[in-house]
């Protein structure tokens, strides 16, 4: 068992943080890499990119939104309990180097994944402007950590309860207009990454996105996570999860993410019924 | 068939008159609805009569035909004599996995192909595979385990990467020689392809679990959730973790795709994904198990090897209305075992031979609705003597909501890419000495599909055995 040593609830209990004992994974993990987790004997394998790694303590941190059966099952695990299985680190780490001004754009729980990359970029000597968006101020996560890892942190909310009233793309356009930007890293919901990439294409700024398609093994074995990058089929688990944002077929990715919508709802309902 | 006389009292002539005993099987119309094993196994009398058909050749071709050299006439005669303990010991002497091999070995092109009994007109070869299954199942059911005397600890440590057939064999062989063995497995359960690939109805998973338990009882450590090449790499195993030797048996896990339009549509799967969901993750028992699977009403399987048959028969059991194997060559050219094709036909799988997929067709939501195919015809035989399929220009549309691509797998580069000095061939398979399994990296051996490309369980075991012997010799001081 992989023991949970810290658990936090965020955004009206819709987002959960778990810090988990996994010394071997922590030893090897680099920003941008992910793990596969199984909650219990009958559980499925769920990929999540690590939000934090403490090599000394031998822990990794994941942050996830409760969206279906498995994440809801994860959310029932308390401190002292744990995950039956975790494997990793998987995927290619982020390519971090000094480039100049880097803009890190995070949406929803994508900000959790973005955070170690932002810090890596900052520590590498880049000037980092971060833009974090959410539906309202209560759903902005890791505000302090992102602020500490950035020269400038800008917030956007859909309802205007904090920062700019609008989308991250509105804020990003302003940043691109007024700065010489070397790279944009965008992690969040697929539509957000799509529109960020369309925007940065206009400005011809290299853009990295992190994809989270459906996976079974996470090691290149099933091909379930295949995504079309520049017209070619790639496996997000071994070739990614990060790709050139301008090359990704986002519509195809969104379609594939919907593949089990009916089954997922059914599974979730079964859990509700059992609990009731 | 009646079994009035104890088989051991039969005369030679009477023995020769016994017909090959049919393997009892579940009826096709019952088994195609559940995942329990198709073959039911011999009873003792059936087994003894079948074993009595062996004529005990002085120079048995079957032993030479077995990749691990089991003393086949020996254990067959022990079955006839009723010495079942002796028989299983004879088998265990050469294989750690008889329950598995009895079920999934292609005996018809190995031991049974060269069986002298089957060479006579109108006679069939001895059912060696069925008897191996019988004796292994008997041992498991009666709780007889492979009690071998393990010599004093040698103090040498070996890391085995991958818990499939090759890794299991190496680990068992080296543990018996007194070495300390640890298996590293990437998945959350040990067994490799036996677990994720071969379906429950062909090889019950409690058999695999039992074999793994046997290994543990020999003192083998099994560490799951460890991807060598990511969680730890080969050099760390040797330099930091103190392993004296490393065996790589990671299989050929990367699924090949057709590279035709529409392959990313929902409803198009690799056989690896489909079977892993159904087998390892138990999606057939969804929603009790959380992993879902698209059941499919009309299912097309692309390819006609053993994996294609496994996928087709899994789709049948998941309730598909129609399941077709689509193959660009002919039935005779199919790389599948005949018994698999036979079982698939019995269960209602249809076959479309000389049919080659051109394009997957989807609806507005990106869901698969059909496949455009082209009819083929056989051309002149190529250098290998195999006739090549040639396009005819005639098209055929196959209506389907689920397509499973089963056209083979390649080497997974995850480990090889992160290991220095490990030479690969043009297909990405590890170059290893065919006799010893030695790679180009000192202290590292390899075997099974990662060296062979996609092959069989028994060949992987044979290579595992050779590598274990070579590792043992090296650890006892032999030069690299």
């Amino acid at each position: 068992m992989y023991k949970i040593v810290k658990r936090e609830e965020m955004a009206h209990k819709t987002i959960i943080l778990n810090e988990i004992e996994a010394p071997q994974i922590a030893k090897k993990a680099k920003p941008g890499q992910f793990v596969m987790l199984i909650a219990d004997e009958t559980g499925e394998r769920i990929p999540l990119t690590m939000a934090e790694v403490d090599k000394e303590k031998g822990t990794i941190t994941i942050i996830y939104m409760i969206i279906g059966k498995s994440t809801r099952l994860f959310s029932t695990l308390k401190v002292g309990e744990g995950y039956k299985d975790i494997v990793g680190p998987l995927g290619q780490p982020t390519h971090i180097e000094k480039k100049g001004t880097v803009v890190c754009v995070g949406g929803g729980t994508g900000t959790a994944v973005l955070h170690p990359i932002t810090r890596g970029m900052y520590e590498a000597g880049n000037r980092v402007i971060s833009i974090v968006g959410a539906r309202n101020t209560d759903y902005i996560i890791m505000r302090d950590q992102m602020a500490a890892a950035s020269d400038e942190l800008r917030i956007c909310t859909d309802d205007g309860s904090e920062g700019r009233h609008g989308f991250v793309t509105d804020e990003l356009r302003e940043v691109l207009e007024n700065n010489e930007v070397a790279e944009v890293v965008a992690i969040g919901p697929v539509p957000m990454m799509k529109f960020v990439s369309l925007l940065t294409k206009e400005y011809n700024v290299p853009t990295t996105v992190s994809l989270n398609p459906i996976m079974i093994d996470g090691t290149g074995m099933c091909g379930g996570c295949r995504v079309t990058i520049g017209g070619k089929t790639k496996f997000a688990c071994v070739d990614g999860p990060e790709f050139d944002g301008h090359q990704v077929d986002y519509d195809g990715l969104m379609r594939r993410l919907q593949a089990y919508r009916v089954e997922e709802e059914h599974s979730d309902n079964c859990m509700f019924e059992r609990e009731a | 068939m009646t079994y009035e006389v104890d088989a051991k009292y039969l005369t030679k002539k009477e023995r020769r008159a016994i017909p090959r005993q049919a393997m009892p099987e579940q009826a096709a119309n019952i088994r195609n609805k559940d995942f329990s094993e198709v073959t039911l196994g011999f009873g003792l009398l059936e087994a003894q009569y079948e074993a009595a058909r062996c004529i005990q050749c002085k120079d048995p071709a079957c032993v030479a035909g077995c990749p691990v050299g089991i003393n086949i006439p020996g254990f067959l005669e022990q079955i006839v004599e009723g010495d079942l303990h002796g028989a299983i010991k004879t088998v265990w002497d050469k294989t750690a996995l008889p329950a598995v091999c009895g079920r999934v070995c292609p005996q018809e092109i190995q031991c049974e192909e060269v069986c002298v009994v089957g060479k006579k007109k109108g006679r069939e070869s001895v059912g060696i595979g069925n008897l191996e299954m019988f004796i292994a199942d008997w041992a498991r059911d009666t709780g007889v385990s492979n009690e071998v005397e393990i010599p004093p600890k040698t103090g040498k440590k070996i890391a085995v990467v991958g818990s499939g057939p090759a890794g299991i064999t190496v680990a068992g062989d080296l543990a018996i020689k007194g070495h300390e063995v640890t298996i590293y497995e990437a998945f959350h359960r040990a067994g490799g392809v036996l677990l994720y690939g071969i379906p429950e109805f062909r090889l019950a998973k409690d058999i695999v679990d039992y074999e793994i338990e046997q290994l543990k009882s020999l003192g083998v450590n099994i560490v799951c959730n460890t991807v060598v090449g990511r969680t730890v790499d080969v050099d760390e195993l040797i330099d930091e973790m103190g392993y004296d030797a490393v065996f790589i048996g990671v299989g050929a896990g990367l699924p090949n795709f057709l590279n035709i339009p529409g392959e990313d549509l929902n409803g198009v799967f690799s056989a690896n994904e489909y079977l892993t969901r159904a087998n390892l993750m138990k999606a057939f028992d969804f929603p009790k198990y959380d992993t879902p699977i698209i059941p499919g009403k009309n299912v097309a399987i692309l390819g006609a090897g053993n994996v294609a048959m496994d996928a087709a028969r899994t789709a049948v059991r998941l309730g598909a209305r129609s399941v077709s194997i689509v193959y660009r060559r002919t039935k005779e050219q199919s790389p599948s075992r005949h018994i698999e094709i036979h079982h698939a036909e019995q269960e209602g799988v249809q076959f479309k031979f000389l049919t080659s997929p051109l394009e997957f067709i989807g609806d507005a939501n990106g869901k698969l609705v059909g496949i455009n195919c082209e009819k083929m015809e056989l051309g002149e035989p190529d250098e290998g003597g195999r006739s090549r399929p040639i396009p005819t220009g005639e098209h055929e549309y196959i209506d389907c909501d689920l397509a499973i691509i089963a056209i083979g797998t390649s080497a997974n580069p995850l480990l090889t890419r992160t290991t220095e000095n490990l030479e690969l061939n043009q297909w990405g398979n590890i170059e290893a000495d065919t006799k010893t399994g030695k790679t180009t990296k000192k202290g590292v051996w390899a075997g099974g599909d990662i060296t062979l490309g996609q092959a069989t369980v028994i060949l992987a075991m044979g290579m595992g055995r050779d590598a274990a012997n070579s590792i043992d010799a090296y650890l006892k001081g032999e030069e690299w």
Side-chain angles (χ1 to χ4, degrees):
Chain A
M1 192 189 70
Y2 297 77
K3 208 165 85 181
I4 297 172
V5 295
K6 189 170 117 189
R7 183 181 183 280
E8 274 176 29
E9 292 171 350
M10 297 178 247
H12 300 292
K13 298 186 180 182
T14 58
I15 297 174
I16 307 289
L17 174 150
N18 280 164
E19 185 180 346
I20 308 158
E21 268 177 11
Q24 230 155 358
I25 299 171
K27 188 181 158 198
K28 280 299 187 70
K30 295 196 179 85
Q33 289 188 299
F34 69 95
V35 290
M36 305 283 312
L37 306 98
I38 304 178
D40 62 16
E41 197 54 47
T42 54
E44 61 179 329
R45 295 169 67 93
I46 296 288
L48 285 173
T49 303
M50 289 171 276
E52 187 87 64
V53 172
D54 190 326
K55 290 187 193 298
E56 276 169 31
K57 269 169 78 183
T59 61
I60 59 168
T61 298
I62 51 158
I63 293 177
Y64 56 88
M65 190 184 292
I66 304 173
I67 46 167
K69 159 86 195 263
S70 288
T71 42
R72 213 140 52 76
L73 187 61
F74 286 6
S75 75
T76 63
L77 299 171
K78 304 182 189 77
V79 171
E81 298 177 338
Y83 291 84
K84 183 177 145 290
D85 298 287
I86 303 183
V87 62
L90 301 169
Q92 303 292 340
T94 312
H95 195 65
I96 290 176
E97 61 179 339
K98 187 169 176 183
K99 294 165 189 170
T101 297
V102 174
V103 182
C104 295
V105 186
T109 46
T111 309
V113 175
L114 184 70
H115 165 244
I117 298 164
T118 309
R119 196 174 50 196
M121 290 292 186
Y122 186 70
E123 285 169 358
N126 292 293
R127 175 174 168 249
V128 177
I129 302 173
S130 294
I131 304 172
V132 170
R135 111 170 82 121
N136 69 46
T137 180
D138 296 343
Y139 289 83
I140 299 286
I141 60 167
M142 306 193 87
R143 193 185 277 100
D144 297 344
Q145 292 97 320
M146 284 301 287
S150 317
D151 292 277
E152 238 182 90
L153 172 65
R154 304 181 179 203
I155 306 274
C156 304
T157 50
D158 298 356
D159 67 352
S161 52
E162 184 180 350
R164 175 189 279 264
H165 185 169
F167 297 121
V168 289
T169 37
D170 303 330
E171 192 69 30
L172 178 61
R173 185 181 288 279
E174 195 178 300
V175 172
L176 292 170
E177 280 294 334
N178 301 313
N179 295 273
E180 188 66 35
V181 176
E183 187 184 357
V184 170
V185 182
I187 305 179
V190 180
M192 184 210 97
M193 293 192 283
K194 176 183 171 177
F195 288 109
V196 164
S197 298
L198 284 173
L199 178 63
T200 56
K201 187 121 182 84
E202 279 177 39
Y203 290 85
N204 215 7
V205 175
T207 299
T208 301
V209 295
S210 179
L211 309 183
N212 194 12
I214 295 168
M215 290 181 191
I216 293 290
D217 61 297
T219 61
M221 219 200 77
C222 77
C225 67
R226 58 194 191 276
V227 286
T228 309
I229 309 292
K232 289 206 176 72
T233 297
K234 298 274 180 189
F235 289 3
C237 64
V238 289
D239 301 313
E242 290 178 11
F243 292 100
D244 175 352
H246 297 155
Q247 303 288 326
V248 175
D249 171 10
Y250 294 100
D251 297 340
L253 173 64
M254 275 187 266
R255 271 203 314 269
R256 288 187 66 78
L257 282 167
Q258 296 294 314
Y260 293 95
R261 208 166 44 84
V262 177
E263 287 81 5
E264 280 160 3
E265 272 173 24
H266 180 53
S267 185
D268 209 17
N269 290 339
C270 288
M271 191 180 175
F272 265 126
E273 279 162 23
R274 265 208 302 278
E275 281 173 356
Chain B
M1 182 90 207
T2 55
Y3 307 102
E4 277 163 14
V5 181
D6 195 331
K8 68 183 170 193
Y9 298 126
L10 295 172
T11 63
K12 273 190 181 171
K13 200 177 159 194
E14 285 168 331
R15 281 186 173 209
R16 255 177 254 145
I18 305 170
R20 182 173 162 123
Q21 304 294 295
M23 167 59 78
E25 290 173 353
Q26 283 194 72
N29 63 342
I30 292 176
R31 72 179 192 236
N32 64 8
K33 293 172 195 71
D34 75 42
F35 278 81
S36 58
E37 274 200 301
V38 169
T39 51
L40 299 170
F42 282 151
L44 175 63
L45 294 174
E46 280 165 309
Q48 288 183 313
Y49 266 65
E50 181 60 38
R53 298 179 61 235
C54 172
I55 56 169
Q56 298 290 316
C57 303
K58 285 258 160 5
D59 189 10
C62 53
V63 179
C66 171
V68 296
I70 296 173
N71 177 3
I72 293 164
F75 93 84
L76 261 47
E77 197 53 27
Q78 284 165 314
I79 291 176
V80 175
E81 293 289 331
D83 177 14
L84 301 185
H85 274 96
I88 189 64
K89 281 214 163 75
T90 303
V91 174
W92 272 331
D93 195 34
K94 296 290 182 185
T95 170
L97 298 172
V100 174
C101 297
R103 286 169 168 81
V104 305
C105 260
Q107 292 99 7
E108 63 282 0
I109 56 165
Q110 294 172 350
C111 54
E112 293 183 20
E113 184 182 38
V114 292
C115 172
V116 173
V117 174
K119 299 283 178 204
K120 293 229 175 70
K121 207 178 163 202
R123 302 281 289 142
E124 286 180 273
S125 56
V126 177
I128 299 165
N130 292 343
L131 288 165
E132 187 184 17
M133 171 177 164
F134 163 78
I135 198 65
D137 289 354
W138 170 83
R140 193 175 68 254
D141 293 342
T142 48
V144 174
S145 58
N146 191 6
E147 277 165 26
V148 286
E149 225 165 278
I150 298 177
K153 290 263 170 252
T154 61
K156 300 288 185 186
K157 284 173 66 181
I158 300 114
V160 173
V161 186
S163 65
I168 289 174
T169 306
V170 171
D173 281 11
L174 291 172
I176 286 170
K177 292 184 162 92
H179 304 301
E180 189 188 325
V181 185
T182 301
I183 297 182
Y184 291 98
E185 166 57 43
F187 267 128
H188 53 282
R189 272 176 76 193
V193 71
L194 306 176
L195 210 58
Y196 73 74
I198 301 176
E200 183 79 20
F201 54 83
R202 211 148 71 74
L203 174 64
K205 297 310 154 219
D206 53 8
I207 294 172
V208 180
D209 290 343
Y210 174 84
E211 302 289 8
I212 297 292
E213 285 308 313
Q214 293 289 43
L215 265 190
K216 287 185 188 165
S217 72
L218 294 173
V220 174
N221 297 315
I222 299 181
V223 181
C224 289
N225 295 325
T226 305
V227 182
V228 174
R230 285 268 188 258
T231 317
V232 61
D233 54 50
V234 173
D235 283 323
E236 279 175 293
L237 290 172
I238 298 169
D239 300 337
E240 293 173 28
M241 296 167 76
Y243 286 103
D244 300 290
V246 175
F247 175 82
I248 300 168
V250 294
L254 210 68
N256 296 337
F257 283 90
L258 288 157
N259 297 316
I260 60 173
E263 213 155 30
D264 67 339
L265 290 167
N266 286 343
V268 181
F269 285 84
S270 72
N272 257 9
E273 178 178 0
Y274 190 71
L275 290 172
T276 302
R277 282 179 181 272
N279 299 332
L280 177 74
M281 305 310 294
K282 299 191 190 293
F284 64 82
D285 207 358
F286 178 84
K288 186 185 166 200
Y289 285 82
D290 294 340
T291 304
I293 197 161
I294 294 176
K297 288 189 185 71
N298 300 306
V299 183
I301 317 288
L302 306 162
N306 290 324
V307 174
M309 301 305 148
D310 285 346
R313 296 171 67 196
T314 298
V316 167
R317 282 162 174 76
L318 287 170
R321 204 183 296 148
S322 82
V323 178
S324 307
I325 298 264
V326 178
Y327 184 48
R328 64 198 182 101
R329 295 174 185 265
T330 61
K331 184 175 182 175
E332 293 66 37
Q333 291 176 321
S334 154
S336 181
R337 293 182 70 191
H338 291 308
I339 184 80
E340 303 303 335
I341 295 184
H342 174 65
H343 278 153
E345 280 175 336
Q346 279 185 327
E347 291 166 12
V349 174
Q350 291 156 39
F351 290 81
K352 289 182 190 291
F353 294 109
L354 292 170
T355 308
S356 181
L358 295 177
E359 184 182 10
F360 294 105
I361 310 295
D363 65 12
N365 300 316
K367 246 181 90 20
L368 177 76
V369 292
I371 310 173
N372 267 337
C373 298
E374 181 163 24
K375 300 303 285 179
M376 312 295 274
E377 61 186 17
L378 281 190
E380 293 295 309
D382 59 17
E383 317 82 67
R386 195 154 95 139
S387 297
R388 237 177 241 286
I390 296 168
T392 61
E394 186 195 334
H395 285 207
E396 183 183 347
Y397 179 80
I398 297 174
D399 201 15
C400 63
D401 56 349
L402 182 63
I404 301 166
I405 301 167
I407 54 164
T409 54
S410 309
N412 190 327
L414 236 165
L415 179 146
T416 52
R417 232 187 247 161
T418 54
T419 309
E420 280 178 26
N421 305 323
L422 201 60
E423 219 166 274
L424 309 178
N425 68 15
Q426 56 176 314
W427 300 283
N429 296 110
I430 297 174
E431 290 277 10
D433 185 279
T434 51
K435 286 198 181 67
T436 63
K438 279 181 184 173
T439 67
T440 50
K441 189 178 175 75
K442 194 180 174 191
V444 179
W445 283 255
D449 282 2
I450 188 62
T451 61
L452 293 166
Q454 205 183 3
T456 61
V457 169
I458 190 70
L459 282 174
M461 291 180 61
M463 291 186 74
R465 167 127 313 155
D466 293 342
N469 288 333
S470 171
I471 292 170
D472 183 55
Y474 172 77
L475 295 178
K476 286 178 175 153
E478 196 181 276
E479 293 269 310
W480 172 253

